[in-house]
Amino acid sequence: MMGAFAFEQVVCGSGDTMVVRGISGRVDPGRVLGVLGRNGVGKTTLMRALSGFLPLAGGRATWQGRDLAGVESHRRLGLGIAYALQENVVFGELSVADNLWLHLPDRNPARYADAFAKFPLLVKRLTQRSGNLSGGERKLLSFARSLGLAAPMTLIGAGALGT
Ligand SMILES: Nc1ncnc2c1ncn2[C@@H]1O[C@H](COP(=O)(O)OP(=O)(O)O)[C@@H](O)[C@H]1O
Ligand SMILES: [Mg+2]
């Protein structure tokens, strides 16, 4: 079976320092792939490369068999690949609703029907300031916001998905 999202022998880093050297993996529909490692080992660097914020110095990433080289991060988002940040995931001074619709002026609640069904607490907190949510609740809000962009979405993130 063709993996929805796959990466092979990825090499990436900053400047001359390649912190990720030859990492491979794949995420099939409905599955979760965990990338574990101690602090500073290169998890965030790998996520930035896979989401298109950092160029690959070697290897490749593919989406449904298509090479993602040269596909900018916002285009990857359009394909259904979202980067779930580990920190500063929402605008704390804005309400939950404004965080969800900031980038979607249509304010169409149908976009979030699945996310609201999964995370009903967000519905109860729509008018509240996001900064008053717990850290875990802010992560849920951030995931919901990504899920509203397209369906289905593949979320990639380091340290973000276990909270
Ligand atoms: N922009 C950068 N410039 C220079 N070095 C960086 C940069 N970003 C990360 N690094 C270094 O790359 C290594 C891996 O960092 P990172 O990917 O954030 O690790 P992790 O997320 O696994 O904790 C660390 O040694 C870090 O200091
Ligand atoms: Mg990190």
Side-chain angles (χ1 to χ4, degrees), residues 124-156:
K124 291 189 211 139
R125 315 284 291 266
L126 277 175
T127 59
Q128 289 185 24
R129 195 178 164 275
S130 301
N132 294 342
L133 298 175
S134 75
E137 290 166 347
R138 287 198 293 272
K139 288 275 170 67
L140 292 185
L141 172 55
S142 157
F143 294 160
R145 189 174 49 195
S146 296
L147 294 171
L149 289 170
M153 293 296 285
T154 295
L155 297 188
I156 64 178

Side-chain angles (χ1 to χ4, degrees), residues 35-138:
V35 179
L36 310 180
R38 62 172 167 72
N39 278 343
V41 83
K43 302 180 295 296
T44 295
T45 303
L46 175 64
M47 297 309 142
R48 292 184 65 226
L50 295 179
S51 50
F53 289 102
L54 189 70
L56 296 189
R60 63 187 205 130
T62 59
W63 173 250
Q64 291 167 348
R66 172 185 166 191
D67 197 321
L68 289 170
V71 180
E72 292 166 280
S73 52
H74 66 280
R75 301 235 176 265
R76 295 186 198 206
L77 203 55
L79 293 173
I81 306 167
Y83 181 21
L85 294 175
Q86 183 171 4
E87 282 153 6
N88 301 324
V89 291
V90 298
F91 296 98
E93 65 279 16
L94 299 183
S95 69
V96 169
D98 283 345
N99 267 283
L100 290 173
W101 277 290
L102 188 67
H103 57 309
L104 298 169
D106 64 11
R107 299 187 84 85
N108 175 9
R111 285 179 174 277
Y112 289 113
D114 288 348
F116 287 161
K118 281 194 188 77
F119 312 131
L121 81 89
L122 292 179
V123 183
K124 291 189 211 139
R125 315 284 291 266
L126 277 175
T127 59
Q128 289 185 24
R129 195 178 164 275
S130 301
N132 294 342
L133 298 175
S134 75
E137 290 166 347
R138 287 198 293 272

